Amino acid sequence: AKQAGRNCWRFYKSSMLKAAYEKMMLTNRLRRGLERGEFYLYYQPQFAAADRRIVGFEALLRWNSSDYGFVSPARFIPLAEQSGLILPIGQWVLQEACRFARRLADSGQEHIQVAMNISPRQLMSEDFVACVRTSIEAAGIKPGQIEIEITESVFIESMEDSVHKLCQLRDIGVNLALDDFGIGYSSLTYLRSLPVGILKIDKSFIDKISSDEVQLQVVGSIIDLGHTLGMSVVAEGVETEEQLAILTKAGCDHIQGYVFSKPLAEEAAMSLLKQ
Ligand code: C2E
Ligand code: CA
Ligand code: CA
Ligand code: CA
């Protein structure tokens, strides 16, 4: 029995080491990937529910690694956060998304907003507001052309500092969205005090609305709550016509999901606008 226990420990130890090693390797590749320009953005259109026109795009990070091929953001974003690499990567995303916004403006589409995801760690960095301001100026765009998506988790760590920075961004004219609403550390108590104009309902809520009457009621209540607080409401992960019809009827403002389009390469996003 003693022998078996020891083998077991050995196995445990070696698989732990292996996982730690793989993590370290991936983090190294991530750093090198940034230097080598292996990252790019995809853009998923958002549509007005009422008339099905494009109102914006969400920029989503993609990594085509020379060693691993395509790596999902669900896998590399957490590593980038742990290692701090999310700061330079996030900076690159900010500049790239602003460049795309400039391209939209140059083609007469200034009213179409470009949303990007910001990690808690980025928002917490001291010069974040200055970086946003600088990127906007460098790209020569209006602050209202961009939208910053944050998640509720930022408020666990540093409510006061986060709200302060978000207020500064709002005052510049940048649009702010609360992402993945409903799954985090919620919600109602502080929602009122946030300077956020857009509420994004998480996909997990949308998934069940056509089969589950209670879920439908919950989503309807979230939409009403958002409107009561003067926010516009986006549903994400909308995959079926049935979900789309239900959300439109419930008064949801904007729709994002496969029912309309998957995330697109920049050129495909531009040509979608011309249709
Ligand atoms: P998210 O911000 O919640 O983004 C929405 C995710 O849902 C995207 O996955 C998108 O491709 C996917 N999606 C959109 N519509 C549908 C649909 O109808 N059905 C299904 N099944 N999925 C849909 P993606 O691109 O893999 O991104 C995953 C997550 O990675 C994002 O979730 C976000 O949290 C993070 N992420 C992506 N880009 C960035 C970035 O530039 N910076 C940071 N910090 N995080 C990012
Ligand atoms: Ca998002
Ligand atoms: Ca989301
Ligand atoms: Ca999500």
Side-chain angles (χ1 to χ4, degrees):
K2 206 174 169 188
Q3 189 61 38
R6 215 152 81 202
N7 283 339
C8 200
W9 165 243
R10 264 196 207 125
F11 174 74
Y12 177 67
K13 205 166 119 188
S14 75
S15 65
M16 288 265 292
L17 279 174
K18 193 161 167 262
Y21 177 74
E22 276 169 3
K23 214 162 125 173
M24 193 187 75
M25 285 297 285
L26 196 61
T27 305
N28 272 328
R29 297 294 186 261
L30 211 50
R31 183 174 294 118
R32 220 171 57 186
L34 185 62
E35 288 161 11
R36 292 184 178 173
E38 293 176 355
F39 291 98
Y40 52 96
L41 296 181
Y42 260 37
Y43 298 96
Q44 187 175 32
Q46 300 176 336
F47 294 76
D51 60 9
R52 303 192 169 194
R53 278 175 199 260
I54 296 179
V55 292
F57 288 96
E58 178 179 12
L60 293 158
L61 189 57
R62 296 291 177 262
W63 180 27
N64 187 5
S65 159
S66 55
D67 303 282
Y68 302 107
F70 291 96
V71 186
S72 149
R75 182 149 156 74
F76 73 78
I77 298 277
L79 281 181
E81 277 167 355
Q82 285 163 32
S83 62
L85 277 174
I86 196 66
L87 295 177
I89 293 174
Q91 179 65 27
W92 179 84
V93 169
L94 176 62
Q95 285 165 358
E96 186 68 7
C98 287
R99 188 193 54 72
F100 181 61
R102 173 59 189 260
R103 190 171 172 198
L104 290 174
D106 286 345
S107 68
Q109 309 274 13
E110 197 183 78
H111 57 286
I112 291 183
Q113 289 170 7
V114 181
M116 68 196 90
N117 295 283
I118 297 297
S119 286
R121 190 136 172 199
Q122 263 180 288
L123 185 65
M124 280 181 333
S125 80
E126 214 171 309
D127 61 349
F128 181 68
V129 176
C131 285
V132 173
R133 202 194 295 265
T134 307
S135 302
I136 288 171
E137 280 166 12
I141 57 171
K142 293 186 178 145
Q145 284 182 257
I146 66 166
E147 186 179 310
I148 283 179
E149 297 191 2
I150 49 146
T151 54
E152 294 166 289
S153 59
V154 297
F155 303 109
I156 306 174
E157 295 245 6
S158 56
M159 183 78 182
E160 240 172 84
D161 180 56
S162 301
V163 170
H164 178 66
K165 287 195 179 114
L166 294 175
C167 284
Q168 288 180 304
L169 291 169
R170 179 201 53 193
D171 293 345
I172 299 170
V174 171
N175 302 288
L176 302 173
L178 191 56
D179 201 1
D180 301 346
F181 182 76
I183 59 167
Y185 131 98
S186 280
S187 296
L188 306 180
T189 40
Y190 71 85
L191 195 56
R192 272 184 67 180
S193 58
L194 296 183
V196 169
I198 301 153
L199 204 58
K200 292 191 82 174
I201 307 175
D202 192 70
K203 178 177 185 300
S204 58
F205 288 90
I206 309 303
D207 285 341
K208 293 177 219 133
I209 53 173
S210 31
S211 56
D212 184 338
E213 179 64 25
V214 174
Q215 278 296 331
L216 173 57
Q217 303 276 347
V218 168
V219 168
S221 306
I222 296 176
I223 294 169
D224 293 343
L225 172 71
H227 289 163
T228 302
L229 297 174
M231 304 167 99
S232 72
V233 181
V234 185
E236 67 178 348
V238 182
E239 293 182 343
T240 68
E241 285 291 339
E242 194 184 358
Q243 291 168 343
L244 174 62
I246 291 170
L247 289 161
T248 305
K249 193 162 165 243
C252 187
D253 302 283
H254 299 158
I255 304 287
Q256 183 181 346
Y258 295 172
V259 68
F260 283 128
S261 172
K262 294 199 167 181
L264 302 168
E266 181 168 332
E267 295 310 320
M270 290 306 293
S271 48
L272 184 67
L273 282 174
K274 287 186 201 113
Q275 283 172 22

